[in-house]
Amino acid sequence: MRLQEKIGVRSVRLALGVLAGSLFIAGQAYSEEQVQRVEITGSNIKRINSETASAVQVIGHDEIRKSGATTVKQLLEKITSSSGTASLNDNKAGNSFSAGASAISLRNMGKNGTLVLVNGRRVSNYGLAEGAQDTFTNIDTIPAGIIERVEVLKDGASAIYGSDAVAGVVNFITSKEFKGGRVAVDAQGALNNTKIGKEQSAGLTYGIGDLATDNYNVFAHVDLYHRNPYTTRDIVPSVDSWYKQYVNPAFGDNSTYSYPGNYYSTSIKKPAAACPIPLVDGLCTFDNLALTGNSIESKRANFYSAGRMNLSSSLSAFSEVSYSQTKTSYLNAPAQLVPGRVQTWFDAGRGKFNSFTDLPKLSKTNPYNTTGVDIPLRYSFADDTSIFKKETDAKQYRVLGGFEGTFGAWDWNSAIGTMGSKVTVTQRGSKNAVNYLNALNNGTYKFGGQNSAELLLAMFPEFGSTGDASQTFFDAKASRELMQLGGGALAMAIGVDIRHEKFTMLSSANLLNAEIVGAGSSDINGQRNLFAAFVELNAPITKQLEANFALRADKGSTSEASVVPKMGLRYEVNNSLMLRGTAAGGFRAPNLAESGRGRVSAFQNSLVDPKRCENAAAMRDILKSTKLTGDIADATLAYNSGCLTSAGVMIVSNPDLKAEKSKSFSLGMVLEPTKNISFAVDYFNIERRDEIGTKDINQVLGSEDKIPGSVIRQPISPEDIRLAARVQAIKAGASNAAFTSGAIAAVSLPYINLAKTRVSGIDMDLNSRWNWDSWGKFTAGLEGTYNIDYRTWDSNDNDFSENLNGMYGNPRYKAVAKFSLTNGAWANGVRFNMRAGTNMMKDKYDTAYNAAGCASKNIPEELCKVEADATADYSLSYTGFKNTTINLNIVNMFDRHPIIDVRDGALFRVRTFKLGMEYRF
């Protein structure tokens, strides 16, 4: 066992031991402090309660600072109810459809099943859809420096907020008033590898006016953020030896696809020209890793401004303006010449395959070839390495204004606004099928020489996509007391929500025309109107029993109506114990990527064609029987054309989709045995049905005749006829020895309602606080989520899958233990982050990483699983200087290495230090 593992285990034991001891002491201690009362997300009725029928986690400004998070994404990753595998991280999204963005997912229900709000209202979706299907809010656009608190509603809330609030709601509450100025700066990095983990941020806030005395307040805030990039070569010294031993034996090695290249044949293996670095096994090598990005560069500027004005004692006006610009840059290694490599991709516009074969041999007439014979060349196009990158430029905005006040017995609020996100993704590195080969064959490209920018642009053109999501909205709601009940006033809220949405996602012309080798494309657009009306009742039936009822109806111009209810009960047994529970319906309306107009083209290999495989196998056996070299080659060709074939895939929108529906319930309690201690535990259960997706391509091929047009086939080709003729010449009259159907050109996969997901588990939140006299004020807390059940839909069994909790990527529990001590100007905090271990298999079909699969890869039995993990973070702040706060955060304070994960785990983990300062004026 490594030293850091011992420290990690001991740190967890220490955390739990100190927590238990502190709770014992707290039970006997007295504190004048009360649990903070905040207005809770999850209701349209104005009310202030620390605990409601729904479980809500409140992350205050002080806890945000202690967490060490610089960005909203870093903060939300620490929430135990979040599921990292279903989230999106801009730093790892280089190959995704929505590069340059981050998203949150609660309860393993996906990024489109978690609703993100700012001050109770929606934020624009990102301009690109992940997987060309999932629309989501890019949380990188939310300015972290102006957040007052984050409220995480941990159950379904579609009856309150509408579509997408299936697994929960994350509501960012900003400051509503700010006077004076504030400047904050911080920087972080690792000391043992100074190239890793470097981030800098700065924030400026300034406001004028006092609502209480001047009847107005206006403030503006700017967040600036920069993350330094680093390459794979930079992390090699920090990667543990197990990774190279069991995952990638070649990790850290240079490539023989070099610049200036290597002649590589059975008889000749040598550099094509003088090599700038020492030879390895007589060949010139190239450091691709020094040009491959492991962490991207990100530059963000987030602006937020808000204003409020009291127009009278019963009427006020408010406004919010936000704007964000994010630029990210993903580094890629130079393109390579791989002699004779064949690539095939689908041209959706013409309904045919394109095929590309890289230059098999460099001609002996090429001036660069000094061997005198045609010979394969291993080569990297590194004459200008700066062009091989992927860049995103994302802009997002939201502008709204409204009024709120009282009219008679009614409290009301109404706003109108517009929002949107525009994203441009551009990249270079892939080959133009025609221009690339022309430049190599006609000698225009000078191997190892200086080539013009124009030539390189023709060979490796710029391509990418653009996306635009926009929305205009109007909402209004009002609430009032209706009558007195046994426990207080019966209150009601009513409201409407009207929105108009647009979405486009379009690939560049060279992608749509299938000019780029191996690349797919997307062409999606749509718009719709959405109308909603809702009502909510809050009924304090007795002094102890309170009930809450909500009902909402949503109707889209292109979809059916969705009507969802929610009911909550809250019962105070006594001053120390409260019981609570909710039952709710939920829905997610088909988004415009799924229900608009458009298609996405892709490519899939290794398919079995039911209409050709039997014939292909019979033809293979007959051809192989001659044992002639040519026939053996044709046998493989025949078999692959039916039993190991490829097909274009067209994923198409479907305007007839139904909304995804869900049902959820929760049951829990809140216990406050003393004024110092609060303990909440809640069981949750969510089941979602009619999930939108596409059928498995093999299912579509198997039911081709039942769904006309689902499979597009090519005519029987001259190659098919030639193979059949040769088979008949070998064995005249052979049955099944000829193709009766042409090869698959493409398979159409429309979005349909087809799947289900079920999750359940337990949330726990324990907090205590007390005075330790001269030692200061001490707090201790433990929050965690234990996942009981997680099942997706198994299309093979047409039933729920086995329980996936404990399988790879789905730990049984996540927990955070928190301790802080404040004494005068000094404040210390420690957080212990804990996560359960998992199996190495993702599900029962994942035989690659069961015991036999691990053995076949020479992975020891003890490494065919992922151990439990624990890290510790430390925070320190000092406020002894006038108007100034100095902060220090140490993330991974024990420098704990990553848990061994031979499948897809973290390559490294380092200890980082963050130093920041805030000044108010």
Side-chain angles (χ1 to χ4, degrees), residues 95 105 113 116 171 227 271 439 449 458 511 543 550 714 779 811 823 839 868 872 880:
N95 294 322
S105 167
V116 175
N171 189 10
R227 179 174 59 222
L511 288 179
K543 294 291 185 181
Q714 305 177 59
T779 67
N823 190 338
N839 197 318

Side-chain angles (χ1 to χ4, degrees), residues 455-754:
L455 177 62
L456 294 176
L457 182 62
M459 296 173 65
F460 308 103
E462 185 175 275
F463 62 94
S465 58
T466 57
D468 190 343
S470 63
Q471 181 183 139
T472 56
F473 73 91
F474 168 80
D475 63 45
K477 62 183 179 183
S479 63
R480 63 165 295 169
E481 295 180 354
L482 297 178
M483 58 183 291
Q484 289 296 314
L485 299 178
L490 172 66
M492 178 183 71
I494 57 175
V496 296
D497 185 2
I498 303 172
R499 287 178 281 145
H500 178 70
E501 296 180 347
K502 293 182 179 179
F503 179 77
T504 61
M505 182 171 168
L506 182 64
S507 295
S508 56
N510 51 11
L511 288 179
L512 294 172
N513 293 329
E515 297 172 7
I516 306 301
V517 174
S521 64
S522 61
D523 182 359
I524 301 169
N525 67 87
Q527 59 180 308
R528 63 182 176 189
N529 297 315
L530 298 167
F531 309 89
F534 53 87
V535 61
E536 183 180 352
L537 293 172
N538 194 72
I541 300 169
T542 69
K543 294 291 185 181
Q544 290 79 35
L545 180 61
E546 179 180 276
N548 182 270
F549 306 91
L551 186 71
R552 180 178 174 117
D554 287 71
K555 176 69 174 72
S557 57
T558 60
S559 60
E560 61 181 8
S562 294
V563 180
V564 291
K566 182 172 183 177
M567 181 180 74
L569 292 174
R570 177 180 183 271
Y571 181 68
E572 292 188 11
V573 179
N574 51 45
N575 291 335
S576 299
L577 176 63
M578 183 189 77
L579 304 178
R580 63 185 178 187
T582 64
F587 78 101
R588 183 182 76 84
N591 62 49
L592 291 172
E594 297 163 331
S595 63
R597 298 185 302 274
R599 61 169 173 78
V600 177
S601 67
F603 193 76
Q604 189 157 336
N605 297 308
S606 304
L607 296 173
V608 175
D609 184 347
K611 290 198 170 185
R612 286 171 61 98
C613 187
E614 182 180 347
N615 305 72
M619 295 168 72
R620 175 200 59 186
D621 293 342
I622 294 171
L623 288 164
K624 285 176 63 177
S625 66
T626 69
K627 298 184 180 180
L628 297 175
T629 302
D631 287 337
I632 291 174
D634 279 347
T636 300
L637 183 65
Y639 181 79
N640 290 351
S641 70
C643 302
L644 201 62
T645 189
S646 302
V649 176
M650 292 190 298
I651 302 173
V652 295
S653 304
N654 181 1
D656 298 323
L657 290 170
K658 298 184 297 182
E660 297 180 351
K661 295 294 180 66
S662 68
K663 57 183 180 181
S664 64
F665 67 89
S666 66
L667 184 64
M669 71 171 188
V670 180
L671 179 65
E672 295 185 2
T674 74
K675 293 180 180 180
N676 307 86
I677 302 173
S678 67
F679 173 68
V681 59
D682 292 272
Y683 169 81
F684 63 88
N685 187 299
I686 306 172
E687 182 175 318
R688 183 172 56 190
R689 64 187 184 277
D690 294 327
E691 291 178 338
I692 298 170
T694 59
K695 281 187 177 181
D696 181 83
I697 190 171
N698 292 305
Q699 290 181 317
V700 176
L701 291 174
S703 58
E704 175 182 349
D705 294 335
K706 298 178 182 179
I707 311 174
S710 60
V711 179
I712 303 169
R713 291 188 174 273
Q714 305 177 59
I716 294 177
S717 68
E719 185 76 351
D720 292 342
I721 296 172
R722 181 188 70 81
L723 291 171
R726 175 57 184 160
V727 167
Q728 290 297 321
I730 298 170
K731 187 176 181 180
S735 61
N736 297 328
F739 292 117
T740 57
S741 298
I744 303 168
V747 179
S748 178
L749 299 178
Y751 288 117
I752 58 175
N753 299 96
L754 54 77

